[in-house]
């Protein structure tokens, strides 16, 4: 990380007000001059610490917490006190602490949100208060330069489903990742929960639940509420990025498609998961010396993430290999709760969004079915002999030994991506897939797993973590920094191609398919450059830059966790 020039801020807060403001609080790092100017001399102990010393102290405190959820709670408390220290600490221990503040630990924090609640952490827009939504929105945004809104209705959180108002936890975690890995100034980002009720009966029966205790709103009232929020974002912050997160399968893609031509919007479950999977697959086909369009791809789990991955891989075939959409669609075999998505399932079992990937029944004559006429995973594998198997079903262990060994018989280097998280929901443990393929599998997983022993000897195989955080902060930052009118498919593919180009496997086929997460800040900077340059190429950017200026502009604009110098000014920042 480069050392930025020290910023100078004029701040109006004094005394306890500045010590309790996480944006401006420096704790024991306030220098003597600022302690006098801001009335802090008697409020702080004598010794002035550096940020490095504070990070060492905070890390020592963190390591005394004996569980991931207690560490998550400690870091949340630290964030509530001092943004610079929070981001400074995590940036120094990135690979260790991202799983604590993000997946998988954040899922536990969200599930227990009402019982862990101490302090609000974003914007809560609630259905019964929709008449005052604009007033409530402006209370937090008036006069601020907001570049990023991360919002969730919390219907489909991190593999744990409907979590009601606890969705603020995923919005806040995603926003923090944008800052850590993309360089978004945290004062220019807002985390939003859209509280439209919950169908989670445990929450509805919990007298400590802090959200609106009502069944979920559906249909036109739901759409009107969402649209009211989106129009406020468009009206007051037309150049911001609107990030949709963890919406239900009936709404995620539908809302993305409806708004993507009206504003710069992004859905990480649909586009981010697809983009990082595309990068991993491009790396894998580089190892196998083949092309995307040569693959036969089974997608196990055709929900929001599965369909998003399918369409992103399909669009990669169009953009990179020049296939037509209809030809690319034929490379995919999707399975959902009714088994293979095929013609005879009929309209009641096939969502509209899946129609273009429906397989004709004629392909499956003689293939065994169950009593409902449905074809399961093993029989699909046996018939088509896929080169790629992607899991996004949240069905832990679904890729059995029988399934994996069948795949390994038909391809020299099977490409296997068990992407469901947390790790207990992964379709296969990579060490098992490694054993069942005699160490030949090329793998990426949705959660971190330890290296796999090579059954043929040699070095251990490091399983790439197909973590959206390797790409979405860069995608978003590239759009924001250029004030792009939309985040186009081509911009996303440009980011995925840049990520794939950084793959260690391209130099050594037994190395991981994606770069080490410890380098995620650098990686996302590279992705942001590619995205911004593509935005300029497509004439979507509203900045007067040449492509040659992009890198310098991005690096100069990135926020870094260092303390600014403060000057007291009663008319300054609050």
């Amino acid at each position: 990380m480069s050392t930025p020039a020290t910023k100078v801020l004029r701040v109006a807060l004094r005394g306890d007000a500045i010590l309790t403001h996480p944006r401006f609080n420096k704790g024991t790092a306030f220098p003597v001059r600022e302690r006098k100017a801001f009335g802090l001399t008697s409020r702080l102990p004598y010794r002035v610490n550096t940020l490095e010393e504070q990070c060492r102290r905070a890390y020592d405190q963190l390591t005394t917490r004996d569980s991931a959820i207690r560490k998550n709670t400690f870091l949340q408390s630290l964030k509530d006190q001092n943004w610079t220290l929070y981001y400074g600490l995590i940036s120094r221990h990135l690979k260790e602490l991202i799983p604590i503040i993000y997946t998988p630990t954040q899922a536990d924090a969200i599930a227990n949100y009402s019982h862990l609640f101490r302090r609000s952490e974003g914007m809560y827009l609630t259905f019964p208060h929709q008449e005052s939504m604009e007033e409530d929105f402006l209370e937090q945004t008036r006069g601020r330069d907001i570049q990023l809104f991360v919002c969730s209705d919390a219907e489909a959180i991190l593999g744990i489903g409907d979590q009601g108002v606890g969705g603020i936890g995923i919005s806040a975690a995603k926003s923090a990742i944008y800052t850590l890995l993309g360089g978004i100034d945290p004062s220019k980002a807002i985390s939003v929960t859209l509280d439209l009720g919950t169908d989670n009966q445990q929450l509805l029966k919990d007298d400590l639940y802090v959200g609106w205790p009502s069944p979920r709103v559906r249909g036109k009232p739901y759409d009107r509420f969402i649209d009211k929020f989106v129009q406020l974002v468009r009206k007051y912050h037309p150049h911001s990025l609107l990030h949709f997160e963890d919406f239900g399968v009936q709404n995620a893609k539908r809302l993305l498609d409806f708004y993507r031509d009206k504003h710069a919007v992004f859905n990480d479950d649909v586009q981010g998961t697809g983009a990082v999977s595309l990068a991993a697959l491009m790396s894998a086909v580089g190892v196998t010396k083949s092309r995307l369009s040569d693959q036969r791809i089974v997608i196990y789990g055709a929900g929001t993430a599965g369909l998003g991955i399918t369409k992103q891989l399909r669009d990669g075939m169009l953009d990179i290999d020049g296939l037509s959409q209809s030809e690319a669609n034929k490379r995919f075999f999707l399975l959902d709760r009714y088994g293979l998505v095929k013609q005879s399932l009929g309209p009641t079992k096939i969502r509209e969004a899946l129609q273009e990937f429906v397989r004709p029944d004629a392909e499956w004559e003689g293939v065994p079915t169950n009593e409902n006429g449905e074809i399961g995973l093993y029989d699909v594998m046996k018939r088509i002999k896929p080169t790629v198997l992607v899991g996004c079903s949240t069905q832990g262990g679904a890729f059995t030994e029988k399934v994996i060994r069948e795949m390994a018989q038909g391809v020299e280097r099977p490409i296997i991506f068990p992407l469901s998280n947390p790790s207990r929901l992964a379709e296969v443990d990579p060490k098992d897939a490694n054993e069942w393929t005699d160490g030949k599998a090329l793998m990426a997983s949705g959660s971190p797993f330890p290296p796999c022993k090579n059954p043929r000897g040699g070095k251990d195989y490091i399983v790439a973590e197909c973590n959206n955080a390797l790409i979405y902060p860069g995608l978003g930052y590239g759009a924001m920094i250029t004030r792009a009118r939309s985040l186009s498919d081509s911009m996303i593919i440009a980011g995925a191609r840049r990520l794939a180009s950084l793959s260690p496997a391209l130099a050594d086929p037994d190395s991981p398919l994606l770069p080490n997460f410890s380098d995620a800040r650098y990686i996302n900077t590279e992705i942001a450059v590619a995205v911004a340059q593509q935005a300029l190429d497509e004439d979507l950017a509203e900045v007067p830059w040449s492509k040659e200026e992009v890198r310098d502009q991005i690096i100069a604009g990135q926020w870094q966790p260092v303390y600014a110098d403060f000057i007291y000014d009663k008319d300054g920042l609050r």
Side-chain angles (χ1 to χ4, degrees), residues 518-572:
S518 296
D519 299 322
R521 176 76 178 231
Y522 161 75
I523 294 161
N524 275 286
T525 298
E526 290 298 306
I527 290 165
V529 170
V531 170
Q533 290 176 337
Q534 184 66 30
L536 290 168
D537 277 347
E538 293 184 56
D539 198 28
L540 290 172
E542 294 196 359
V543 290
W545 304 341
S546 67
K547 289 177 68 174
E548 291 70 30
E549 294 177 85
V550 164
R551 184 177 299 276
D552 289 342
Q553 291 285 355
I554 283 176
I555 292 173
Q558 288 178 316
W559 185 88
Q560 294 191 22
V562 294
Y563 289 124
D565 287 339
F566 293 164
I567 296 173
Y568 179 69
D569 183 344
K570 63 182 179 63
D571 297 319

Side-chain angles (χ1 to χ4, degrees), residues 3-15:
T3 303
T6 302
K7 291 185 178 180
V8 178
L9 298 179
R10 295 184 176 275
V11 180
L13 304 176
R14 283 178 55 84

Side-chain angles (χ1 to χ4, degrees), residues 124-141:
Y124 301 79
L125 299 178
T126 308
F127 187 78
H129 300 156
Q130 61 184 302
E131 296 307 316
S132 63
M133 187 189 291
E134 184 165 13
E135 177 185 345
D136 297 338
F137 180 91
L138 291 174
E139 279 290 337
Q140 293 198 50
T141 62

Side-chain angles (χ1 to χ4, degrees), residues 450-468:
C452 302
K453 295 293 183 183
N454 189 333
R456 297 168 293 160
K459 68 179 183 179
D460 292 351
Y461 182 75
I462 298 173
V463 181
E465 185 182 349
C466 212
N467 191 324
N468 296 19

